[in-house]
Amino acid sequence: CTESKAKSCSDCISVPGCAWCEDSNYANNPNVLISRCDLPENLLTEGERCPENAIINPKSNQSSPASGNRPHSNVGESAVGTATQIRPQIIKAQVRPGDPLNIELSFKQAEDYPVDLYYLLDLSKSMENDLNSLRALGRELGMSMQNITRDFRLGFGSFIDKTVMPYISTVPAKIKNPCSDKAPCVPTYSFHNDLPLTPEIEAFVTSVNNVTHSSNLDNPEGGLDAMMQAIVCKESINWRKDATHLLVYSTDASFHYAGDGKLGGIVLPNDGRCYLNSKGHYYNANYMDYPSIGHLVRKITSHSIQPIFAVTSNVIQTYTNLQKMIPKSSFSYLPKKTYISSNICAQWSIQPQVLLEIKSPAEVSVSSQTAHCLDGSVPGLQCDGVKLGNVVNFTFTLSTEKCLTSPVQVIVSPYGYNEVVTINVESLCDCQCEETEAPTNNCSGHGNYQCGSCVCESGFTGLDCSCDQKDVLGIESYLANCTDPTTGVVCNRGGECQCGSCICTQYANKKIDGKYCECDNTSCKRAGGKVCNGMGKCDCGDCICEPGWKGKACECTLEQALCYDHSDDALDSTKPCNGNGECECGQCVCKLSQGGAKFRGQYCETKPLVVCDIHRDCIQCAWHTGNYNDTECKTQCMGYNVTVVSGVGCLYKFWLERVLCDIYSTSPFCPYYFDYVMPGQYGLSVLFVQISEFLCKTYANPVYIIIGIIAAIVGIGLAILLIWKLLTSIKDAREYKNFQKESQNPKWQGVS
C-alpha cells in the first residue's frame, strides 16, 4: 500500500486491501513522510495510529431495486406467459478491486411457464409404423403438455435426406416414387415445416394425418440438416422469445454430418442460416453440406433450444453419445416403435436440468460457482432432478483487478429459458469522505483538500502544496540543505527533499528518521532474531532498553528470579545459583570449587566430582552401549550435542575449563575420555575422544575358535583321505599295466 504512493483516497482504495486515513491530524509531521494509505491493521497499530472511525476501507456491496424484481410465480397467480422463475432480475453491484462480491440467485420451476414443443419426425420408409403411432397419439401428446402448463404450443416438421446421389436414386421414375409400385410414396425431400407452432391441438393432429412417408437409399438420414433449419428459422417455426423451446427429434437411424456431402458433390459448408420458402420447404439442401455437430451445438445454445432425442433401440448408443455433447438435452427410448407422449413430457417436466449461463466482460472475473440443489451443494451452476415447484439456489462471486472505466453488465440466464438476470457492475473506487474544513491557507492555492489532506496540482509538493518544483533557484538551495555532509548524498536515499527539508520515507516494517534520513529503526543489534531483543527502541543505531533490561541489544535481563533453584533437592533455595555462582542476564555463572573445578548445572547444583557418573549413560549412547537402549537414548539424552574427535592431540583444545572422565567400552575394549560444557541457552554440549587405537584390546570370540578347529580337523581328514585314494589309484594302475604287458608275452612250459 505504501509503495503505491497514493496521493488521494481514491488512488488508495483502488489498490486491493488498502485503506485511507482521513483524520486531519494524521501524517502532518513536516519532517516525516507518513503515508495515509496503508493496510487497515497498520493504520490502527503503527506510528501515529489513525482513529478507527477515520479509516476509509469500503467493501463490495450489492442491492436489488424493489421495482422490476418480481417474486417467483405460483400456479394461477400470474397471467399466462408472464411466469417468473429466476430472481432477482436486476442487481446493482459495486465491486472494489481485490474484494470479491458474492451473488446469490434462486430458481423455481414454474407451473405455467410458456412452452413451445416442435416435433421433428423422420419420415423415411422404416418409420412408417411410427407415423401411424404418432397420428394416433398426437392428441394425447397435446393434452399431456396442457396438464403441465396452460401456455403450450405444438408444431410439427419432417425430414428424410438430400435429393442427390448416392442418398437417393436419380432414376426419373424413382424420383417421383422412391418406394415400390405396389406401395407408392411421396418424393424424397430434405426438410418440411409441416406445421408452425400453434396452440391448436387439432391443427397438429390434422397436420400429422396429412403427411406420408417417403424413402431414400442409405441408412443415415439428413436429421442434422432439419434440426439446423428448425432452430434458426425462428419466424417460420414461430418460436416465441419468452418461452421454453423443446425440440423432439424422432428417428430410427443415424445421421449425416459435415463432410458427408462430398459423396454427392456438395462441398460448400453449412452457413447456419434459414432457407425455408413460403411453403416451409428447405430449398438449399442440395447446395450446402450437412452441419457439423459443433456448429449445431452452438446454434442450439444461442437459440435456447432443449432437444429431446426420441429414438428406437437400435440407435440408442449413437444418440446417447450425441446427447452428451449438447447441454440441456435429454433422451427418450421408444420401445417397439410406440410413441408414449407421457415419456416425452417427462423428459422436460419431471427430471430436467437447471443450468445457469453467465456472460461477463473480460474486466470482470466469475469464480466460486456453486449450485445448492435439492440433494446438497455441488460445484458449478447445474442442478438435476428439479421438479415443478421446486426451488434451488446458485451462488458465485464477481471480482475485478482494477477500477472499471465505466459500468458494465453481467448477464445470467437459465439455459433453455428466455429469462435473464442483469447485474450492473460498477467500480467502488471513489471515497465518500466526511466534509472537513480545509487548512487556513487553502492548500496554498495549488491543490484541493480531500479526505484529510491536500491533493496537490502537478508540479507542487508538500503537505500544503507550497513547494514549487519548477523553481530552479529554489530547488538548488533546497538540495544543498538536504545533502548529508558526511555522505554527500541527498537525504541518504531514504526520503525526498521537499522545500529544503528531508521528508523521510516510512515503511510498514522500517521507520527512517534524522535530519538527513540517516537513521532507521532496524540498524541496531539484534537478539533472539529481534531488533533490541524486542525489549527496547532503536535510536539511530543504539538500543534504548526498557526498564529491567540492559546490553547493547537489550539481551540481558536484570530479573534474578530465574536463577533461584526451587526444586526439592536444592542446595540453598534462598540464594541465587544455590550460593555457588552469580546471576548474570537471568543465567547462573558458576564459581570454582575448592579443588579448582567449576560447579555444574543450571543452578550450579552439581559438584565437579559427580559429573562423570551423571553423564556416563548418555555418553555411552554414542557406542550403543551402557544402560540406555536406542529409544531411551533419544528421549533421555536430547540435550546432548555429541562431537566425536580422534587422537589424543585433538582433545587438547577442549581441555580448558573441563572435567576429564573415562569410559571403557567392552567391544573393542578401549578407554575413552569425554569433556563437556555447562548447560546454557544452547543446551548441554559434550565432547569426547578415543585416547589411542593401540590401547584397544580385541579379544577373539571363542565360538569362532571352536568352529575354526572343527573346520581344520575336517579339512585335514579330507586331505589325508584324498592322498590315500590318489596313492592307491596310482598303485592299481601300475599293477594293471604290468599285467597287460605279461599277457602279451606268454611263456608256455611243456608238460612231461
Side-chain angles (χ1 to χ4, degrees), residues 85 107-111 350 374 385-392:
Q85 298 188 118
F107 181 92
K108 178 182 180 181
Q109 186 81 36
E111 291 87 347
I350 297 179
L374 300 175
V386 182
K387 300 179 181 180
L388 295 176
N390 290 151
V391 178
V392 292

Side-chain angles (χ1 to χ4, degrees), residues 652-666:
Y652 293 160
K653 61 181 179 180
F654 304 116
W655 280 14
L656 185 62
E657 301 293 337
R658 76 181 184 91
V659 175
L660 186 62
C661 303
D662 60 344
I663 296 176
Y664 291 88
S665 66
T666 57

Side-chain angles (χ1 to χ4, degrees), residues 100-103 358 364-370 395-399:
L101 177 64
N102 294 325
I103 302 293
I358 300 179
V364 180
S365 299
V366 181
S367 60
S368 302
Q369 303 177 20
T370 305
T395 58
F396 54 90
T397 61
L398 301 180
S399 60

Side-chain angles (χ1 to χ4, degrees), residues 4 21 156 170 206 367 569 633 654:
S4 68
C21 180
F156 172 68
T170 55
T206 302
S367 60
D569 55 352
C633 284
F654 304 116

Side-chain angles (χ1 to χ4, degrees), residues 158-179:
S158 59
F159 67 90
I160 304 174
D161 208 343
K162 295 183 183 295
T163 56
V164 296
M165 280 289 291
Y167 315 114
I168 67 168
S169 173
T170 55
V171 175
K174 286 294 182 181
I175 293 177
K176 294 181 179 180
N177 178 22
C179 301

Side-chain angles (χ1 to χ4, degrees), residues 363-627:
E363 301 90 341
V364 180
S365 299
V366 181
S367 60
S368 302
Q369 303 177 20
T370 305
H372 306 279
C373 305
L374 300 175
D375 54 353
S377 299
V378 295
L381 297 176
Q382 176 176 316
C383 283
D384 298 327
V386 182
K387 300 179 181 180
L388 295 176
N390 290 151
V391 178
V392 292
N393 297 316
F394 301 91
T395 58
F396 54 90
T397 61
L398 301 180
S399 60
T400 60
E401 294 183 358
K402 56 184 180 179
C403 295
L404 304 175
T405 56
S406 60
V408 296
Q409 284 189 342
V410 175
I411 303 299
V412 184
S413 60
Y415 185 84
Y417 301 97
N418 285 293
E419 291 184 86
V420 296
V421 176
T422 302
I423 305 176
N424 298 308
V425 181
E426 59 184 36
S427 289
L428 185 57
C429 294
D430 294 327
C431 295
Q432 301 297 325
C433 303
E434 295 182 3
E435 294 184 0
T436 56
E437 294 183 1
T440 55
N441 64 354
N442 196 24
C443 298
S444 303
H446 300 296
N448 297 317
Y449 190 76
Q450 298 177 5
C451 300
S453 67
C454 288
V455 180
C456 300
E457 297 175 355
S458 177
F460 291 88
T461 60
L463 295 176
D464 57 357
C465 306
S466 60
C467 183
D468 187 357
Q469 294 180 328
K470 298 179 181 179
D471 185 358
V472 178
L473 296 179
I475 291 175
E476 292 180 355
S477 62
Y478 293 159
L479 294 177
N481 292 333
C482 293
T483 303
D484 188 342
T486 303
T487 61
V489 179
V490 176
C491 298
N492 285 292
R493 298 189 180 89
E496 298 178 1
C497 182
Q498 295 184 4
C499 299
S501 299
C502 286
I503 308 299
C504 303
T505 304
Q506 305 300 302
Y507 302 96
N509 56 354
K510 183 178 181 180
K511 305 299 181 184
I512 301 177
D513 56 15
K515 182 179 179 180
Y516 302 107
C517 302
E518 71 275 14
C519 302
D520 67 74
N521 64 345
T522 63
S523 60
C524 294
K525 291 187 176 181
R526 296 172 179 262
K530 298 180 180 178
V531 177
C532 299
N533 197 32
M535 295 298 173
K537 293 183 179 180
C538 183
D539 184 14
C540 207
D542 295 325
C543 287
I544 301 177
C545 301
E546 296 179 358
W549 295 87
K550 68 177 182 177
K552 293 185 178 181
C554 301
E555 75 283 4
C556 184
T557 178
L558 300 178
E559 179 60 52
Q560 294 197 359
L562 299 175
C563 294
Y564 283 85
D565 187 358
H566 299 290
S567 61
D568 294 337
D569 55 352
L571 299 177
D572 189 352
S573 61
T574 62
K575 297 179 181 180
C577 306
N578 285 292
N580 298 324
E582 299 292 337
C583 185
E584 295 183 6
C585 299
Q587 294 182 342
C588 287
V589 179
C590 299
K591 298 178 181 179
L592 296 176
S593 65
Q594 293 180 353
K598 275 189 175 182
F599 286 89
R600 307 289 174 175
Q602 181 179 358
Y603 302 106
C604 303
E605 72 278 8
T606 305
K607 295 181 180 180
L609 297 179
V610 298
V611 294
C612 293
D613 292 333
I614 292 176
H615 304 298
R616 185 182 303 275
D617 290 334
C618 285
I619 295 302
Q620 286 184 303
C621 286
W623 301 286
H624 303 286
T625 60
N627 297 324

